[in-house]
């Protein structure tokens, strides 16, 4: 049932709307003739409808969610409560700085914390998600080369295992993407990299640990190759959770980094956002950071904008980015504190390696059995698919029946029938053990009752959905009287 | 250990299964020289109570203020139900609905959102949201250029929000797109067809049409749409979704309607929150749907023929199409879109119209009260929505400072972005402002203008 | 799974607790030796556990809840949000009145609103639920008689249809209860009443409309009989929703009334409370009201306590009662306003009469078919039980399967196999129609598939629970290692 | 129409089915003379936005204050998760779990609560909550008298919270129960066995034993329990549940333990909220369970043998037993109990103990700092928990007023209830007070004592 189907003309109560006023003076020709299709429902209808809908979701608050590359860890409720204090919610983005010193103090402190944990010289908080952070980062790489009159550099190198946002970002910044391959152990193929770099190389975008769930051990060699060719190094910080407090991108030699606060700093995913993707840079790129950034001066905190930062790559959002998300991340960072930061990586990695070991024992094939897992690892169901016809998608759907969200499937594309599994540090051994037990059952079912797995899920609000039909018979909005 | 559930016993058992003696062993593939040997120099951990105390102190504004700034972020009443529902764990802590069967809640909400937005805009389809209004405008122009397959030139009236213009420039500049600024009429405060004439012989991919524009002034949208269509470009409407409850929707502008309409979703139930998170929206004609960036939800059927919802047209997106994607956008502003959907459901079309009408009426009343003060006048005499530009007989920054001390955020100073307008303020009153609030502003402005620290021009 | 079963020694993170301090100076002999059985769980464990548990409940926000006598109507979310503003939550009950004027203003205004809608001369807000309001009311009746030296009056009369709290309250106030019977049309048997009253009569407790869902048309005669015998009239206001703005207990001649704010004023039931049961009285009882009450004086609002009210029946709670509930009711009352008050009764009564008519059409037997329903009405399944063996409990459980909460069953005890049905004004016609359709289906099933109904529910987290075992093999607390 | 979904069309259709022409007809059984013909004289309806504005204004205290009042209601840190979970619609808007199968969420929470409380108190069983601590004490005494089946006399130390004593009197007085007040030792601030001697030859149903008592002083609980047991009465402990994380539980007092323990649940995650809603709790020995008032949840099995929870022993309650019930209580404080259960789960036993220890340590530190001020002294030198009585060299009400102007709620004035103590204040500092807060109080007290408006004694 859609909210529109609950609607009845004349049902709205309007106690959420202001009392009618004398009509403002507006030219009739510019006014709307027909009302928009918004439902007319009672407040109870709406509350009941959306409460019931919410119950149809899986979420961290209700299920284990081992989605590789997404870092679905517990979102502390304090972060939500404190970011939603009336004093923060009421702050207008164009309010004079004098009126919002407390808010600015939080943002400034967060900048400092991110500088410290990434090892970068300067940070801007404005990008509104990882991909926008990438955009800012690559735009800064471009601004750097431009500033040196180096206009030849037209290529961004990305490993073939990279997240789709990396090449898409390169394209948005006007670069061609050049892929380098991965070797059998999941590392960047150094020979391929050496032959890829050259005077056209603007930079390399690297995720480390990579999206294959392994740490790139030749990171120093890679850095030297890229820097040697005059390129810059971009760190896709989506996987920072794996190394928080253990090793810093700045120390590895990266020039630019973005951090997904909705991953490592545990701001909620919200069913698809909002996130935040602050960028950090080495000193030579600091002047190019997107504006605004927060400065601390004698008289207090203030925004630095285009006026003070003429070489900035500019502005990525109308205001200061996803401030409410930044406040959540700040609260989280303060609760973790000095000691807590490194524990994140310790236990995220412990959980991943334990789960990897247990799934291997349960008979699952690892993509990189000789490697240490980082915070995530890959199981390949290639052989299972060949012997039983049951692939990654089937196992994923069957897991839903057993009360677990599915791992990431079919990414990275490099490993066929892959499950990218990231348990995160906030899950307990009991939960991991229960997940292993469910995976064992499914393996058993794949051999004994394959139809059960192929037709999963069976216990959710809907059975498997027809994606092909969705794309073919596009139905993107509800229409009254479809008949 | 905050948020880490491992007992010492768990740790021992898990290390044993992994086959290493200590946690340190987990990091043995990281080159030793890179490993940190002391914790990062960030402040020590705070308990929840301590951080709550800190934040409570920082959340308190120096004093209670009455806010008359709009300029792209609007103070509207938000029903209590909106955020009590949106922050339910099942919405708040869910991931992007890639596993459709386990995400029917979020997916249906997004489908409802698309329906509402498409209808508000009078266009065929809507995506499920973008970052914010400014970046949505940037994406719309990239989309228009892709769709046009010829021109890489777009026209941008100077009556578009200055920050939006900056964002657009930052987003499109690397793709060789030329953004031409179109001057406005300093008498009427909107774009005149004459101003477009210089470009009438050039190939233009798109014209941006803000309605209302940054000054709150209504643009001659029909003429503008017809003008660009006559020249083979796309009309990109930039609209306020609340005002769409009252104003003609972009799909109805001119002879054949705008092609794309985007805007800032914040007025639909999103708190001001220092500037974000908000969300951008994008609607367009059906023919353009495959050029649209961002997530799109479609209705479909399950194995048993029951209706359900799923992300669709994913072949546009970066995770499939990679460097050929319509945008690099991935995570966007899902929870804000959920809140906005609930907000619109609670208001309905009548409610939304009332909010729009009351906001316009309030600002018109405010403008009257303020301009009754000697020396204060209105710029741009024509019809305006819920913002207005007033001109002061004294330094606008001094006046604003004096007003702040009197508990009033008096509006946005236009000095930086529109120096040609003199001591001009952009003021806004939404439906949240009562007559007594408007009177209070007028009184305080009068007092501020007499303030010795305010320098007359 | 119980929270205790999730517990592991050493799991608690303590970021909710203060840092350890030097032990306070306390004699070791007075200290605890063994820790209490509280779980040691992570915050995620707790959030996930209680979120999942909540999903096992029916509630107004998720289901239609036609519980007669309970008035389960929509609880506006604004009431919750505004009562939980930090400024209210932080108010200490012993704070000087100067520091909490805004809070006191709300309480004072609510007193005035209740006076007006009940037609009583004075109100005290302190009783914490309906039953405590009854206690206050009967104690005031007693104080009144005592104040006149009238010590003979030892009986409280209650109709046999009365709610159990009525006789239980009379007993707590030291009175014997005397029941009067109900006639065939659901009215108090006037002859029986006449013969019951006398010099021992302290008062009569009446619910009007009664718990049988009908308005007592002879209310004026009843009043005269009781007053004539020197007794006082108590109005059990649990059913005030039916007459709000239509007729006032004060005008009917009642001397005392309690109002369930968690019914008529829509404060949430919260899975069993908290409620609030303010009492209103006629002028001659005003001095006996329980303390504190809020007064408005020159200098502002203040509490009147035992000191200013020496003849008060005293204090029923340590502080001022369920203040947060009172704030919710106040917000609700202000949103309803003058016009909204009477609409409550209009539409609650409309819904009840419509549902009654439709269920009669569907073949259900009404307990009082010749009467107008008030806000609720009774269906009797006596004949169904005789013909099919399916009784009220079975129908109730089967309704749960169909997504509706069951009506009140087996109360009032007067009507056998009864369902007491109260739809409330906040439910739409569509919901009522869907309920009727479900009832039709069950009637059909009772004849065609009686086992399905007898064994219901089938779709809930548990099947029908064994109440007898619960009472016989008492298990009231979990114990580690029950083996 | 707020909260009423009926459209004009619905109204017409429904009246038709009922068979009456207009709404008015629904009330035709009400005597015409009684019907109201105009709406009640209450204020006109406000929209949600308007009422939100009103309440926001009223919620703001005149100024921010540091609170050092305890006296039965304590400011503790409440984890954010507690109320975000407890106000989920499924808990918030559910009824009493009479339909067990549709209420397993609430029922399991209550069963967990009972387990936690019984264990905290060291007793066998717990009910699912009562109205508040004071009325719970009243119920406990009624229960003790029922159980004793002889005496109708109970002993009540004067060290019990004065408001609790008043509530008990109001609740039990109609049942011919005699509440005898037992004086305390004005040196040590607690009850001495000697004070009980006058009653040692009388039939006594129960002795109330507060731990700590109203002054924060620890009572000699072992002696008191042994005394009453030796005389055949029941020992009724009155305890603070947070302190039970640290102090010996009532079940362990004396040779055979208290029989009943009750108290105020507010410190377990319930906001101060101007005095309520809070909740009372009651625990007792197994033998007394059938005398217990209030709801009780039991574990049982369903038809398929799966575990589940249900209300049990309902034959004690008013809806079954009517005038013979153990109490008239029906609706109690379910949601508060839900919140408290979540609160205890988040703190665990170690966390609860830390809160208790920190609160005691803070108050002890506060007492030291305050008594370092010349003229300020402590009454009752013995061990105390998180409250203490200090004696001032000036009028306590003047001092409190002066402190309030300095942003400090300085404690409870004991003048009304304990005039014998002179200018005495009951002060409290919980774990929420930092050293800087204690220093601030000390400084301000010193200043207040110098304040010309404060009259020295
Ligand atoms: C490796 C990697 N890079 C980049 C991104 C993009 O981040 P966002 O979704 O915040 O734009 C993601 C997350 O989806 C990711 O996993
Ligand atoms: C008719 C009637 N009287 C009294 C009560 C008792 O009210 P409460 O549950 O608030 O104590 C109720 C509600 O349960 C009731 O329905």
């Amino acid at each position: 049932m859609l909210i529109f189907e609950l609607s009845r003309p004349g049902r709205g109560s309007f106690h959420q709307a202001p009392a009618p006023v004398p009509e403002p003076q507006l030219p009739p020709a510019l006014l709307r003739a027909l009302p928009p299709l918004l439902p007319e429902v009672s407040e109870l209808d709406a509350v009941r409808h959306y409460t019931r809908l919410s119950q149809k979701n899986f979420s961290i608050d209700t299920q284990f969610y081992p989605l590789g590359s997404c870092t679905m860890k517990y979102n502390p409720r304090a972060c939500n409560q404190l970011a939603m204090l009336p004093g923060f919610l009421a702050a207008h983005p164009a309010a004079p700085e004098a009126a919002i010193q407390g808010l600015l103090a939080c943002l400034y402190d967060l900048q400092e914390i991110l500088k410290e944990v990434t090892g970068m010289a300067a940070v801007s908080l404005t990008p509104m998600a990882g991909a926008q952070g990438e955009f800012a980062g690559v735009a800064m790489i471009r601004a750097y080369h431009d500033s040196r009159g180096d206009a030849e550099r037209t290529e961004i190198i990305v490993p073939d295992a990279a997240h789709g946002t990396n090449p898409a970002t390169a394209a948005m910044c006007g670069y061609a993407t050049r892929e380098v391959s991965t070797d059998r152990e999941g590392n960047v193929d150094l020979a391929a990299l050496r032959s890829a770099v050259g005077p056209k190389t603007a930079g390399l975008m690297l995720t480390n640990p990579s999206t294959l769930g392994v740490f790139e051990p030749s990171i120093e060699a890679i850095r030297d190759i890229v820097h040697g060719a005059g390129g810059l190094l971009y760190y896709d910080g989506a996987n920072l959770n794996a190394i928080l407090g253990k090793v810093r991108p700045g120390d590895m030699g990266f020039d630019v980094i973005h951090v997904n606060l909705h991953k490592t700093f545990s701001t909620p995913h919200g069913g698809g956002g909002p996130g935040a993707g602050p960028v950090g840079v080495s000193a030579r790129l600091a002047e190019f950071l997107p504006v605004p950034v927060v400065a601390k001066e004698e008289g207090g905190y203030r925004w630095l904008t285009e006026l003070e930062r003429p070489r900035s790559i500019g502005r990525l959002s109308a205001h200061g980015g996803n401030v409410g998300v930044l406040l959540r991340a700040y609260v989280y960072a303060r609760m973790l504190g000095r000691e807590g930061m490194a524990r994140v990586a310790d236990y995220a990695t412990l959980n991943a390696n334990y789960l990897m070991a247990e799934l291997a024992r349960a008979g699952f094939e690892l993509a990189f059995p000789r490697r240490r897992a980082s915070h995530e690892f890959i199981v390949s169901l290639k052989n299972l698919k060949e012997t039983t016809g049951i692939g990654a998608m089937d196992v994923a759907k069957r897991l839903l029946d057993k009360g677990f969200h599915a791992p990431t499937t079919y990414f990275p594309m490099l490993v066929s029938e892959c499950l990218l599994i990231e348990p995160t540090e906030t899950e307990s051994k009991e939960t991991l053990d229960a997940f292993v037990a469910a995976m064992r059952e499914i393996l058993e079912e794949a051999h004994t009752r394959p139809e059960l797995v192929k037709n999963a899920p069976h216990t959710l609000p809907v059975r498997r959905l027809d994606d092909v039909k969705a794309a073919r018979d596009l139905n993107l909005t509800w229409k009254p009287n479809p008949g | 250990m905050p948020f880490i559930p491992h007992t010492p016993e768990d740790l021992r058992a898990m290390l044993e299964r992994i086959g290493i003696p200590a946690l340190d062993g987990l990091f043995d593939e990281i080159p030793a020289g890179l490993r940190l040997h002391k914790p990062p120099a960030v402040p020590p951990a705070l308990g929840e109570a301590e951080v709550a105390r800190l934040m409570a102190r920082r959340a308190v504004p120096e004093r209670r203020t009455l806010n008359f700034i709009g300029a792209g972020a609007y103070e509207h009443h938000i029903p209590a139900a909106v955020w009590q529902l949106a922050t339910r764990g099942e919405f708040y802590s869910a991931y992007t609905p890639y596993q459709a069967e386990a995400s029917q809640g979020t997916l249906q909400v997004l489908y409802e959102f698309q329906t509402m937005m498409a209808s508000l805009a009078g266009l065929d389809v809507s995506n499920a949201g973008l970052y914010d209004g400014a970046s949505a405008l940037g994406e719309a122009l990239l989309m228009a250029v892709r769709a046009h397959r010829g021109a890489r030139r777009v026209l941008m009236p100077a009556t578009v929000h200055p920050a939006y213009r900056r964002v657009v420039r930052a987003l499109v500049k690397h793709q060789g797109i030329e953004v031409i600024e179109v001057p406005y009429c300093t008498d009427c405060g909107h774009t005149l067809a004459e101003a477009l004439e210089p470009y009438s012989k050039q190939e233009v991919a798109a014209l941006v049409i803000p309605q209302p524009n940054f000054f709150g002034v209504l643009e001659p949208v029909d003429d503008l749409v017809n003008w660009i269509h006559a020249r083979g470009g796309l009309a990109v409407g930039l609209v306020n979704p609340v005002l769409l409850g009252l104003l003609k929707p972009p799909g109805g502008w001119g002879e054949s309607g705008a092609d794309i309409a985007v805007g800032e979703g914040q007025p639909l139930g999103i708190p001001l929150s220092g500037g974000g998170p908000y969300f951008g929206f994008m609607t367009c004609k059906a023919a353009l749907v495959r050029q649209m960036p961002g997530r799109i939800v479609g209705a479909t059927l399950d194995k048993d023929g029951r209706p359900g919802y799923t992300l669709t047209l994913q072949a546009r997106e970066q995770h499939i199409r990679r460097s050929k994607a319509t945008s690099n956008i991935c995570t966007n502003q899902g929870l804000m879109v959920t809140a906005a959907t609930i907000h619109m459901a609670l208001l309905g079309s009548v409610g939304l119209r009332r909010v729009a009408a009351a906001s316009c009426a309030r600002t018109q009343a405010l403008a009257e009260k303020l301009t009754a003060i000697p020396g204060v006048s209105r710029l741009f005499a024509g019809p305006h929505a819920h913002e207005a530009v007033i001109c002061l007989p004294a330094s606008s920054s001094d006046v604003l400072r004096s007003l702040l001390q009197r508990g009033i955020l008096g509006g946005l100073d236009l000095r930086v972005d529109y120096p040609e307008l003199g001591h001009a303020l952009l003021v806004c009153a939404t439906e949240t402002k009562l007559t007594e609030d408007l009177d209070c502003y007028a009184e305080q402005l009068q007092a501020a203008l007499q303030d010795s620290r305010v320098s007359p021009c």
Side-chain angles (χ1 to χ4, degrees), chain A, chain B:
Chain A
M1 183 80 94
L2 287 156
I3 190 82
F4 309 103
E5 298 172 277
L6 295 171
S7 174
R8 293 294 176 278
R11 177 156 293 167
S13 77
F14 316 132
H15 73 285
Q16 297 296 357
V21 292
E23 286 290 299
Q25 292 153 31
L26 293 168
L30 292 178
L31 296 186
R32 178 161 207 129
L34 289 177
L37 183 66
L38 298 185
E40 291 190 56
V41 297
S42 69
E43 187 168 317
L44 170 56
D45 282 340
V47 167
R48 196 175 279 166
H49 179 73
Y50 291 108
T51 303
R52 282 185 184 170
L53 276 189
S54 77
Q55 292 185 341
K56 294 188 178 181
N57 270 3
F58 276 35
S59 67
I60 283 294
D61 280 7
T62 46
Q63 276 89 10
F64 176 45
Y65 227 106
L67 266 183
S69 206
C70 303
T71 312
M72 293 296 285
K73 55 178 166 177
Y74 174 59
N75 308 135
R77 286 269 142 193
C79 302
N80 184 45
Q81 179 158 306
L82 299 175
M84 294 192 82
L85 288 170
F88 290 130
L89 292 187
H92 193 284
E97 287 141 341
I100 51 167
Q101 284 293 301
L103 176 62
L104 292 176
C106 294
L107 300 182
Y108 180 82
D109 288 353
L110 180 61
Q111 285 175 186
E112 293 297 304
I113 289 171
L114 292 177
K115 274 161 63 177
E116 171 62 24
V117 298
T118 59
M120 308 307 283
V123 161
S124 164
L125 301 173
T126 67
M128 293 179 284
Q132 217 191 27
E134 291 177 36
F135 178 88
V138 177
M140 286 189 278
I141 289 175
R142 186 163 178 146
Y144 171 78
H145 293 307
D146 287 352
S147 75
R148 308 171 77 232
D150 189 350
E152 296 303 283
R153 301 189 179 271
T154 54
E155 285 178 4
I156 289 282
I157 299 175
V158 296
D160 50 6
H163 195 265
T165 48
N166 293 182
T169 299
M172 285 190 79
C173 290
Y175 284 118
T177 318
R178 182 149 178 173
E179 278 199 357
V180 294
S181 54
T182 300
D183 71 16
R184 298 245 305 272
E185 290 304 328
N187 298 324
V188 169
D189 183 329
L190 291 185
L193 179 63
R194 270 193 202 95
S195 67
V197 299
K200 289 189 164 181
T201 303
L204 167 73
M205 298 181 83
L206 196 73
T207 311
N208 191 20
S210 73
T211 59
L212 299 169
V214 293
F215 190 88
E216 178 57 63
S218 310
I219 180 62
E220 288 159 303
I222 292 171
R223 172 193 62 204
D224 294 343
I225 293 167
V226 176
H227 278 169
L232 298 187
L233 273 141
Y234 184 94
Y235 184 90
D236 177 336
N239 289 349
L240 188 71
N241 211 54
I243 58 166
L244 197 65
K246 294 280 144 192
V247 48
R248 307 192 304 174
D251 298 342
M252 295 184 219
F254 283 92
D255 301 284
V256 199
I257 170 179
H258 88 265
V259 182
N260 280 4
L261 297 185
H262 44 303
K263 297 182 179 175
T264 311
F265 287 81
S266 204
T267 66
H269 280 274
V279 279
V281 288
S282 55
R284 56 179 164 166
L285 294 180
E287 59 182 340
F288 304 119
L289 279 173
V291 289
V293 293
V294 183
K296 185 176 181 179
E297 293 173 358
E298 276 293 289
Y301 299 92
R302 71 185 199 97
W303 296 114
L304 301 182
T305 67
E306 295 83 351
L307 296 175
E308 297 85 1
R309 294 283 192 130
R311 313 247 292 179
S312 163
I313 57 154
R315 188 173 274 272
L316 303 174
S317 67
H319 313 291
N322 282 340
V323 173
V325 176
L326 302 172
L327 291 176
R328 284 170 174 79
Y330 177 62
V331 171
Y332 178 72
R334 294 302 306 266
M335 288 197 292
L336 286 191
R338 187 175 297 163
E339 314 76 4
M341 292 283 171
R343 284 198 195 117
V344 166
D346 278 338
Y347 288 87
T349 307
L350 176 71
N351 273 3
N353 280 280
Y354 174 74
L355 199 51
M356 181 167 84
E358 293 292 289
L359 285 177
R361 274 201 184 83
F364 286 91
E365 237 169 295
L366 304 178
F368 302 103
R370 280 185 299 270
R371 298 296 304 271
R372 193 68 81 201
S374 61
H375 63 310
E376 62 191 0
F377 63 95
I378 299 180
V379 159
S380 167
L381 301 177
K382 188 160 167 273
N383 285 336
L384 186 71
K385 175 92 181 184
E386 278 163 14
T387 53
T388 63
I390 304 284
M393 183 60 73
D394 303 310
V395 171
K397 299 298 183 197
R398 186 65 184 143
L399 274 169
L400 303 179
D401 275 336
K402 296 184 188 281
F404 295 101
H405 196 279
T408 300
T409 50
Y410 302 102
F411 173 78
M413 297 173 187
L414 232 51
V415 182
S416 59
E417 298 299 330
C418 74
L419 297 177
L420 179 60
I421 303 177
E422 177 179 5
T424 85
E425 74 280 6
T426 63
E427 297 289 346
S428 67
K429 178 170 179 295
E430 286 80 3
T431 299
L432 304 185
D433 290 341
F435 179 75
V436 172
M439 288 289 280
R440 266 183 209 277
E441 282 171 27
I442 295 173
L443 200 55
E444 170 80 22
E445 289 170 355
H447 290 102
T448 56
R449 307 170 67 193
E451 289 311 307
L452 191 68
V453 183
K454 268 194 195 134
N455 291 316
H458 303 274
T459 59
L460 296 187
V462 290
R463 303 278 311 276
R464 214 176 287 191
L465 289 163
D466 188 343
D467 286 336
V468 175
K469 178 179 165 52
R472 196 189 49 213
D473 309 335
L474 271 192
N475 173 345
L476 309 184
T477 61
W478 181 79
K479 308 203 177 41
N481 306 322
Chain B
M1 294 185 286
F3 315 121
I4 294 177
H6 299 69
T7 67
E9 174 49 38
D10 291 336
L11 176 58
R12 200 169 39 247
M14 292 171 82
L15 288 173
E16 193 187 303
R17 296 297 272 186
I18 297 168
I20 52 171
L23 273 174
D24 223 44
L26 294 171
F27 301 94
D28 52 9
E29 294 189 2
I30 301 182
L34 293 175
R35 293 278 304 280
L36 295 174
H37 294 291
K38 54 181 174 56
V42 303
L46 295 181
E48 183 179 308
E50 294 165 298
V51 79
R53 189 175 157 118
L54 173 72
M55 296 301 278
R57 218 174 313 145
R58 289 186 169 179
V60 172
E62 303 302 300
R63 41 146 75 219
R64 262 143 102 45
T65 48
L66 265 180
N67 170 42
F68 292 93
I69 317 179
Y74 302 92
E75 194 175 326
H76 289 294
H77 169 63
I78 303 172
V82 172
W83 286 96
Q84 292 189 31
L85 291 170
T87 57
R88 283 173 58 83
E90 298 94 319
F91 285 134
Y92 186 79
S93 75
Y95 195 68
T96 303
Y98 288 130
Q99 288 292 343
E101 296 84 359
S103 315
Q104 286 297 298
T106 290
L107 285 164
Q108 184 175 329
V109 171
L110 297 178
Y111 180 80
E112 293 181 358
F113 171 79
Q114 291 174 180
T115 303
M116 294 178 187
M117 293 314 297
S119 170
L120 262 180
L123 286 164
D124 303 315
V125 294
S126 165
N127 72 4
L130 294 166
Y131 297 134
D132 76 344
S135 62
L137 182 59
E139 292 278 10
L141 293 177
L142 292 173
M143 175 176 163
V145 167
R146 276 196 304 274
H148 193 274
R149 292 168 193 275
R152 299 189 80 75
R153 181 179 297 119
V154 297
L155 299 178
M156 175 78 79
T159 58
V160 168
H161 193 308
Y164 282 43
R165 285 182 275 142
R166 290 196 194 100
V167 170
V168 166
R169 242 174 280 125
L171 292 181
V172 310
K173 71 173 165 206
H174 309 299
Q175 299 190 43
I177 294 173
E178 190 188 354
V179 182
I180 296 174
E181 236 162 66
V182 182
Y184 62 97
C185 159
T186 46
D187 283 339
C188 63
H190 61 70
T191 311
L192 295 178
E194 298 96 272
L196 298 170
E197 276 320 301
Y199 315 103
S200 66
K201 294 283 157 336
Q202 305 181 8
E203 275 241 294
V204 176
L207 166 65
V208 176
I209 308 173
Q211 181 72 328
N213 69 25
F214 183 62
F215 302 133
V217 174
L218 296 178
E219 296 274 352
V221 291
D222 297 326
D223 295 350
L224 297 175
V225 166
N226 292 342
W227 186 91
I228 184 73
H229 280 170
R231 277 147 196 94
L234 298 185
V236 176
L238 174 64
V239 288
N240 176 314
V242 164
L243 294 178
L244 286 184
L246 180 64
L247 298 181
K248 185 158 36 151
W253 294 351
E255 269 160 40
S256 44
D259 304 281
I260 305 173
V262 296
E264 172 57 62
Q266 179 274 330
L268 295 172
I270 314 300
L272 290 172
S273 198
Y278 299 165
F279 70 94
F281 61 86
M282 178 182 279
T283 55
C284 68
K285 292 182 177 167
L288 293 169
V289 66
R290 288 187 160 75
Q291 293 300 340
M292 205 156 37
R295 294 184 184 128
I296 300 178
V297 174
T300 185
L301 299 176
D302 78 355
K303 255 199 164 113
D304 296 342
R306 270 177 309 190
Y309 305 90
T310 185
L311 291 174
T312 193
L313 296 182
Q314 295 193 56
R316 298 165 301 113
E317 292 184 69
Q318 45 70 31
H319 63 285
I320 309 282
R321 193 61 64 81
R322 302 178 72 85
S323 63
K324 304 273 181 304
T326 52
S327 166
N328 71 341
I329 196 168
C330 177
T331 295
N332 48 54
Q333 312 281 112
L335 194 68
M336 304 293 124
V337 166
T338 298
T341 307
I342 301 170
H343 183 83
M344 288 188 276
L346 287 168
L347 281 170
S349 60
V350 179
L352 199 70
R353 190 186 192 288
R354 282 210 203 152
V355 174
S359 298
C360 294
R362 288 285 177 217
T363 297
Q364 294 178 358
L366 176 67
E368 271 168 39
K369 284 180 202 275
L370 299 184
T371 52
I373 298 170
V376 179
S377 60
R378 237 193 86 203
L379 289 179
F380 316 139
H384 64 103
H386 66 341
E387 306 207 55
V389 180
I390 60 165
C391 194
L392 300 174
S395 150
S396 47
S397 58
D398 289 352
V399 171
L400 285 178
R401 204 168 313 112
S402 168
L403 283 170
L404 179 61
Q405 272 150 21
R406 298 159 190 282
I408 294 204
L409 297 183
L412 189 83
D413 193 346
L414 294 178
R415 191 174 32 112
V416 174
D417 290 302
Y418 299 94
E420 68 275 18
L421 298 179
H423 290 298
L425 287 189
L426 182 65
V427 298
C428 169
T430 63
E431 91 288 356
T432 60
K433 297 295 169 294
L434 310 185
T435 305
E436 69 201 60
D437 302 328
L438 308 184
D439 291 339
C440 171
Y441 184 9
E443 264 165 48
Q444 297 302 330
L445 177 58
Q446 200 145 16
L449 289 170
Q450 280 151 15
D451 189 331
S452 63
R453 282 159 300 178
V454 171
S455 45
C457 344

